[in-house]
Amino acid sequence: MQEPVKKKKIKVTRAVNGVEQEVEIEVDDVAGPEWGPNDKHAILNKHITRVDAPLKACGIAEYSYDKRLPGMLYGRILRSPHAHARVTRLDISAAEKIPGVRAIVIVPGEKVVEGAKKASEEADKKNPTEVGGKDIKPEREPGKVVRFEGEPVAAVAATTPEIAKDAIRAIRVEYEKLPHVVKAEEAVKPDAPKVLAEGNIEPRSKRGDQAKTTAAFAECDAVVEADYRTPIIHHSSLETHGIVVDYRGGDSATIYASTQGTFTIPDESAKELGLAQSKVTAIVEHMGGGFGSKFGIGVEGKLACMLAKQVKAPVKMMLTREDEFLMAGNRSGSWQTLKIGAKKDGTIIAFHAAQRALGGLGRGSQAGQPYSPYAGKIANAYNEIVAVKTNEDASRAMRAPGHPQASFAIESIIDELAYKIGMDPLEFRIKNLKDEVYHRQLNRAAKEIGWERRNRTPGAGSGPRKRGMGCAVGTWGGGGNKECVVDVTIARDGAVTVAVGSQDLGTGTRTYTRAIVAEEFGLQVKDIVERIGDSRLGKANASGGSTTAASLAPSVKDAAYNARNMMAERVAPLLGVKAADVTFANGKVAGGGKSLTWKQACVALPSAGLAARGQWRPNLQATGVHGACFAEVEVDVETGFVQPIKMVQVQDVGLPLNRLALESQINGGMIQSLGMALWEGRVTDNQLGVMLNPGFGDYKMPGTLEMPEMIALIDDGDTRPAVIGVGESAIIPSLGAVVNAVHNACGVRVRELPITPDKILMGLYTEARTA
Amino acid sequence: MADEHDDKVARDIAPPSPGRRQFLKGVGIAGAGAAVADQLLLRPHEQAVAAEPPQTLSAATTEVTLQINNQKRKAMVEPRTTLLNAMRNHVEPPVTGPKLVCDQGTCGACTVLLDGKPVYSCLVLAVDAMNKPVTTVEGLGTPDKMNAVQAAFVEKDALMCGFCTPGFVTTISAYLKKNPNPSLDEVREACKGNFCRCGTYPKVFEAALAAAKGTGRNGARAELMNHREAAESEA
């Protein structure tokens, strides 16, 4: 009789949008893989160069955008130029006649309006639909209401991108303009044009006791109340959204997608193509950035499938840069009205927040205030969150959705309160942060940047160029889920392959996948081959919420561990020892004083080699990280120009799989955050309802000249032998640190991002007038 | 005739004029912007017309011979086709190291060397690149034989998603020929026309300085923001 497997209870933390909860789960109490101490690895937790770096540095890594298939057509999308309008007439006759145009599809609309329908039917009669000898009958959907500038109206497929562009220009669309609103301040007014029938304000959540909080402000010695605003930010992935649909009729298709989720592609594409899901393969060999915006095939993918289905030929549909700005999502803006009060000794006792997430047609993302690092210690807190709708493209997740916005606002008001009370901003934070990990990280970063050099009085110092420092903290979950199935195979010739369908966004997935297997077998990274980015391989989760590493790495480890045990069983008789006594290190398989090279040992394998599968192991991952950032900036008070001088960020991560890639990821977080603080933001014109800066020439991103000295520090004080994702954690605190540094430098508190020179100059002017 | 319509448009817009294509071939339309080129329509290319039904607007394509990475590559392009699009979409097999990212000469991902000088290939017309050597990132080295800049990018982790990398590698490779021992500020200045979104700049600088002649031990190296060493000394 088989004994029932013993169970044990373990605690794991689960995070939803960065808010963690600790839950107890039951797992089999059997011996399984463990990482061992973080400082005892041969390969992991070291600087590992990326395995795909040579391909990328030589320009031969093939991205979806680089795919070119025989007979492939190029797709292009016609977008609405209006923020809110009804399509009254859509005439594709001229476009159809252009040689090289193979297919045109009209984006299905929401409503059919009588007059528009008639106009379109007449247009139908007039327009021949025959192109190039093929009978193409585009569906017509007149009366479609477009609700934002950039909403797709039609799409074409043509033999060259140049012809596709001509075809888009040749489609004639007449619109009946409808009232629009693209500024939140206008949208909340009672007489504002309605973005959606339900109205422009969507209540989302309320937390805390408002009456008690309001009363608590009477007990405070110092109170600060202010509005903080952040604009809509664009992901600006260098590879735009898009897919290449390889469908030539028949019952199967292959989709090359620029996506964060290999497995988010086949189902949706199959639906559009009318195929069985199992007959559609998704390939994501390399991808050029996503930052939260690339899940599923999107409207562009749907249109590409419709076009491919129509002509039974491969279609490549990569968005143009302008498409990307106008219809591929964005990070929601925010407008937060905060009030905070503290005792003279620096204890915060009251906090009131009214937060508005500005996600265009979407609900937006907004972490609740007081932002989690500060949440535990404030006795009386209340917040309410609403979404304010505007006629703009719906927001999507973007690296730590809602967190940088929340961090910026609370770190600003806490700074203001600290100065009002007359406490050092660092000391004030330490007093009000419950978790001691923050104390450790703040003190370390303070030492690194030289906090003692800071301006004691904001704006002090002579001369036009003034320096200042600021700091802030962040948090994230980063745990994993049971979603990855990994296969490790060892061939008799010694070749080792690790395979899983997951994707590498530039985060280093390929590299650590190999490294974990190499570590387990005592081999080197170059001895392993990884296969990823293919939906025919083992299932894996989409890369969102910093969950990839914590979901994938434990599964890889488990697969390697199982393969190693199987290998040990095979090799043990050769060495004359028990399987448990076989060791794997330095390219050798050894035991009982004997030693075999890896290749020699593999001869013991059956001719088919061996294959092992791995599943997620909750004990190999954890969740919940901190992070602290300090910034030093120089403000020119004559021009209002801000030059970042130095940034330091400390990040805990449990077991750092690859220190080199981790440093890069922390740098990347700091840089994107710096961009939000000083330069980036969607600029709209409320009268026209359009975006004024939809291109890299006008949407200002951080460049080489703006870069400060950057110090990315891994907090090895965190000794948890568990993998945690920190891609998102890394982007959160820098924003607050930079904003506070600007204030410390010149005395101007800018509460609306980005901190452009005009805001500094206006602040100095106002200060001079009121002084 | 394969397509009457096509022929008619070609006649209407660009009356047969044997000298036209010759003119473009000989003189080129150097200096003419893409907008001007859009208006120029060429006569159908004889061979293309004979071989297959014309697929393009008025069959206004012309054959160009490009010298990409020391190889002669022919392509049928329109006068408005950029060098970047010619390489990516028209030559066979495609040359896709240079990336199409901003399409307006701001991000540098499409940087190639034209006559040895770095240019944004999204701003160069294919017809203007005829008879001039074009070097792309693929021409600078291969994974087995990387040039110093490529090797340094790998070593210093100067890339993440890698989409900007071909542009940076090309820009820096050209710059180091001009200035083999640059300072950090000179490196920043040299690649200010290249964008990275993942945030690799500090390591790009590190890689450029490491690849530069004579550095790695002195001079510019000391100026370098070396977080790894800082991190280790702190730890």
Side-chain angles (χ1 to χ4, degrees):
Chain A
M1 221 178 86
Q2 208 178 359
E3 276 196 41
V5 180
K6 271 204 293 184
K7 298 277 182 185
K8 66 177 174 188
K9 285 187 175 170
I10 61 163
K11 276 188 181 168
V12 290
T13 30
R14 286 271 162 78
V16 181
N17 208 6
V19 181
E20 343 157 354
Q21 303 158 335
E22 198 154 89
V23 291
E24 203 170 55
I25 60 166
E26 207 174 59
V27 294
D28 292 347
D29 187 11
V30 291
E34 281 174 11
W35 294 113
N38 287 353
D39 56 356
K40 293 281 183 277
H41 293 279
I43 297 173
L44 301 176
N45 198 8
K46 302 265 188 300
H47 292 83
I48 315 169
T49 57
R50 273 167 216 261
V51 299
D52 48 354
L55 295 180
K56 288 178 172 176
C58 296
I60 54 175
E62 194 180 49
Y63 297 76
S64 299
Y65 209 148
D66 298 332
K67 263 292 168 241
R68 194 163 118 203
L69 303 165
M72 186 180 83
L73 302 173
Y74 295 83
R76 187 139 171 161
I77 293 170
L78 174 66
R79 308 178 313 258
S80 163
H82 304 299
H84 193 192
R86 178 179 290 119
V87 177
T88 54
R89 185 160 170 266
L90 207 156
D91 178 359
I92 60 168
S93 57
E96 285 173 327
K97 285 188 194 128
I98 297 173
V101 173
R102 292 293 169 81
I104 301 178
V105 295
I106 314 288
V107 179
E110 293 172 36
K111 264 184 215 164
V112 174
V113 177
E114 220 25 64
K117 191 179 175 187
K118 211 172 161 194
S120 175
E121 276 168 359
E122 277 165 23
D124 254 342
K125 279 180 216 156
K126 272 190 273 174
N127 301 335
T129 53
E130 203 172 73
V131 180
K134 286 201 188 87
D135 207 19
I136 297 170
K137 289 201 177 68
E139 57 177 293
R140 294 197 184 278
E141 202 83 34
K144 177 187 165 70
V145 173
V146 288
R147 297 194 189 278
F148 64 94
E149 183 211 10
E151 184 164 343
V153 173
V156 305
T159 49
T160 70
E162 289 83 5
I163 297 171
K165 185 178 176 185
D166 288 343
I168 286 303
R169 287 161 65 179
I171 296 175
R172 296 210 169 76
V173 190
E174 285 170 20
Y175 297 91
E176 175 198 339
K177 283 205 239 174
L178 300 169
H180 64 255
V181 61
V182 297
K183 294 256 190 236
E185 288 82 352
E186 299 295 325
V188 295
K189 291 180 181 166
D191 58 345
K194 279 197 173 165
V195 175
L196 295 171
E198 311 85 87
N200 298 347
I201 301 175
E202 182 192 339
R204 289 189 48 181
S205 68
K206 283 184 185 178
R207 247 195 326 217
D209 188 333
Q210 191 171 19
K212 202 171 142 238
T213 302
T214 307
F217 280 102
E219 313 284 312
C220 297
D221 297 317
V223 173
V224 179
E225 184 171 11
D227 279 18
Y228 299 89
R229 291 177 169 86
T230 61
I232 285 175
I233 296 291
H234 290 271
H235 300 78
S236 307
S237 310
L238 292 199
E239 183 180 30
T240 55
H241 286 69
I243 69 177
V244 178
V245 181
D246 188 2
Y247 175 71
R248 304 155 201 238
D251 65 352
S252 66
T254 302
I255 312 285
Y256 303 89
S258 183
T259 181
Q260 297 175 233
T262 309
F263 294 92
T264 65
I265 301 299
D267 192 17
E268 290 183 16
S269 326
K271 260 183 218 146
E272 293 300 328
L273 291 167
L275 303 175
Q277 191 193 335
S278 59
K279 292 284 190 182
V280 177
T281 301
I283 304 287
V284 192
E285 196 64 29
H286 298 281
M287 67 88 74
F291 312 114
S293 67
K294 290 180 178 171
F295 299 101
I297 62 173
V299 60
E300 63 281 358
K302 284 182 187 161
L303 292 169
C305 289
M306 286 162 76
L307 291 163
K309 193 178 171 189
Q310 207 175 84
V311 288
K312 295 188 172 56
V315 172
K316 175 176 184 169
M317 175 74 84
M318 300 303 297
L319 296 189
T320 66
R321 183 53 53 188
E322 198 167 280
D323 292 339
E324 189 75 9
F325 273 100
L326 295 173
M327 55 166 280
N330 51 70
R331 179 194 288 283
S332 54
S334 74
W335 170 14
Q336 304 172 65
T337 305
L338 306 186
K339 188 177 179 185
I340 193 167
K343 289 286 202 191
K344 249 185 277 185
D345 71 350
T347 313
I348 302 173
I349 56 167
F351 187 93
H352 188 282
Q355 299 171 266
R356 301 159 203 88
L358 316 179
L361 289 159
R363 301 179 76 220
S365 303
Q366 183 64 63
Q369 298 284 16
Y371 184 51
S372 25
Y374 295 95
K377 267 204 164 183
I378 303 176
N380 306 286
Y382 173 80
N383 85 49
E384 56 185 56
I385 304 177
V386 300
V388 177
K389 305 289 171 75
T390 52
N391 289 105
E392 291 174 281
D393 185 17
S395 63
R396 296 185 188 178
M398 181 170 176
R399 202 167 179 181
H403 279 235
Q405 297 96 314
S407 172
F408 150 69
I410 195 164
E411 295 288 5
S412 296
I413 203 165
I414 278 182
D415 229 55
E416 295 195 46
L417 186 58
Y419 282 113
K420 197 162 185 178
I421 289 177
M423 269 180 88
D424 173 73
L426 173 59
E427 194 189 323
F428 187 68
R429 278 180 176 79
I430 288 175
K431 187 171 177 66
N432 284 288
L433 284 163
K434 197 171 60 169
D435 194 333
E436 284 182 3
V437 175
Y438 285 119
H439 305 178
R440 176 175 83 215
Q441 295 185 343
L442 284 166
N443 286 327
R444 181 171 175 198
K447 191 177 149 206
E448 179 65 39
I449 203 157
W451 182 249
E452 71 285 350
R453 293 187 291 116
R454 77 194 178 281
N455 250 346
R456 304 287 157 152
T457 311
S462 54
R465 290 183 174 185
K466 293 168 185 280
R467 288 201 176 187
M469 290 184 196
C471 62
V473 298
T475 183
W476 192 257
N481 293 298
K482 187 178 182 173
E483 292 187 74
C484 298
V485 175
V486 178
D487 292 298
V488 169
T489 53
I490 308 173
R492 212 175 171 191
D493 67 359
V496 183
T497 306
V498 53
V500 58
S502 189
Q503 54 286 323
D504 190 333
L505 280 52
T507 43
T509 310
R510 283 178 183 277
T511 309
Y512 71 67
T513 298
R514 267 201 210 184
I516 291 167
V517 178
E519 174 95 37
E520 190 72 19
F521 294 158
L523 296 173
Q524 293 177 37
V525 172
K526 66 173 175 54
D527 299 328
I528 317 293
V529 170
E530 88 291 355
R531 289 182 59 209
I532 69 164
D534 186 330
S535 64
R536 290 166 297 192
L537 301 174
K539 189 107 167 77
N541 55 333
S543 296
S546 297
T547 58
T548 313
S551 300
L552 181 57
S555 313
V556 174
K557 173 77 175 176
D558 189 46
Y561 172 85
N562 292 337
R564 175 185 146 137
N565 286 344
M566 288 164 76
M567 176 101 176
E569 292 283 351
R570 288 278 173 177
V571 180
L574 293 185
L575 298 168
V577 295
K578 279 192 257 170
D581 297 328
V582 178
T583 61
F584 295 75
N586 306 318
K588 297 268 166 30
V589 182
K594 287 186 219 163
S595 167
L596 300 168
T597 66
W598 176 259
K599 282 204 169 188
Q600 284 167 344
C602 287
V603 175
L605 300 182
S607 57
L610 70 80
R613 177 158 277 200
Q615 304 278 0
W616 189 63
R617 294 272 187 169
N619 63 308
L620 298 180
Q621 56 87 53
T623 189
V625 287
H626 314 71
C629 181
F630 280 64
E632 180 175 14
V633 303
E634 186 173 86
V635 180
D636 187 326
V637 294
E638 289 174 349
T639 64
F641 182 78
V642 179
Q643 175 68 50
I645 302 297
K646 183 170 179 174
M647 291 175 80
V648 178
Q649 188 152 319
V650 182
Q651 180 66 57
D652 54 335
V653 60
L655 165 63
L657 290 170
N658 179 359
R659 296 183 82 88
L660 191 58
L662 178 57
E663 287 165 7
S664 288
Q665 203 166 36
I666 297 170
N667 280 340
M670 281 194 270
I671 293 170
Q672 288 186 350
S673 206
L674 178 65
M676 285 191 270
L678 296 181
W679 307 294
E680 291 182 40
R682 166 186 277 237
V683 181
T684 53
D685 182 299
N686 199 47
Q687 292 222 311
L688 299 170
V690 302
M691 180 176 180
L692 299 175
N693 56 343
F696 283 171
D698 298 310
Y699 182 88
K700 172 69 181 153
M701 293 201 302
T704 61
L705 295 182
E706 287 87 16
M707 281 306 104
E709 179 186 356
M710 311 203 85
I711 313 270
L713 299 173
I714 299 166
D715 179 7
D716 290 309
D718 178 7
T719 55
R720 286 174 288 179
V723 174
I724 313 170
V726 293
E728 299 186 273
S729 176
I731 199 179
I732 301 166
S734 326
L735 202 60
V738 172
V739 170
N740 292 334
V742 169
H743 168 260
N744 184 250
C746 69
V748 174
R749 176 63 65 181
V750 180
R751 301 186 184 89
E752 180 170 3
L753 299 182
I755 305 182
T756 43
D758 55 310
K759 291 175 189 161
I760 299 275
L761 294 178
M762 186 53 82
L764 289 166
Y765 171 73
T766 311
E767 213 171 67
R769 268 186 48 163
T770 50
Chain B
M1 203 27 100
D3 192 317
E4 278 185 21
H5 165 75
D6 228 38
D7 202 36
K8 182 173 174 299
V9 175
R11 268 202 313 276
D12 286 355
I13 304 175
S17 131
R20 188 110 192 221
R21 212 178 104 243
Q22 279 312 115
F23 164 75
L24 280 164
K25 251 191 162 174
V27 184
I29 47 170
V36 177
D38 263 354
Q39 311 301 319
L40 291 171
L41 293 170
L42 303 184
R43 288 198 65 209
H45 186 268
E46 300 82 346
Q47 280 178 349
V49 171
E52 55 185 57
Q55 297 190 325
T56 56
L57 176 61
S58 336
T61 56
T62 187
E63 187 182 86
V64 292
T65 304
L66 299 168
Q67 297 172 37
I68 306 173
N69 300 328
N70 292 325
Q71 286 185 332
K72 282 202 171 163
R73 309 290 293 273
K74 288 185 179 181
M76 296 295 298
V77 300
E78 292 186 53
R80 63 172 160 169
T81 306
T82 61
L83 172 59
L84 176 64
N85 280 340
M87 293 189 295
R88 294 181 59 86
N89 305 326
H90 298 284
V91 304
E92 187 66 55
V95 178
T96 56
K99 306 295 183 217
L100 175 60
V101 172
C102 73
D103 210 13
Q104 60 173 210
T106 53
C107 77
C110 66
T111 303
V112 301
L113 307 181
L114 185 63
D115 245 346
K117 272 177 64 182
V119 297
Y120 290 153
S121 62
C122 76
L123 293 187
V124 176
L125 295 173
V127 291
D128 273 351
M130 285 193 292
N131 307 317
K132 292 178 192 166
V134 176
T135 306
T136 71
V137 66
E138 292 101 319
L140 297 174
T142 59
D144 296 334
K145 210 180 167 189
M146 290 186 278
N147 80 1
V149 177
Q150 290 166 325
F153 265 61
V154 174
E155 179 64 28
K156 302 294 178 189
D157 206 42
L159 52 85
M160 283 190 258
C161 87
F163 219 67
C164 70
T165 312
F168 270 105
V169 166
T170 307
T171 302
I172 293 168
S173 296
Y175 183 67
L176 293 185
K177 271 201 173 163
K178 214 168 81 178
N179 179 3
N181 201 2
S183 68
L184 173 59
D185 280 342
E186 285 170 334
V187 170
R188 288 169 183 275
E189 183 69 25
C191 43
K192 68 180 178 188
N194 292 74
F195 281 157
C196 164
R197 187 52 162 170
C198 298
T200 58
Y201 297 125
K203 295 195 172 188
V204 165
F205 302 154
E206 205 178 319
L209 293 175
K213 206 180 114 204
T215 57
R217 282 168 294 280
N218 56 27
R221 178 77 180 177
E223 225 185 302
L224 191 60
M225 40 189 79
N226 193 334
H227 18 128
R228 195 188 308 174
E229 276 164 20
E232 278 165 2
S233 67
E234 182 69 22

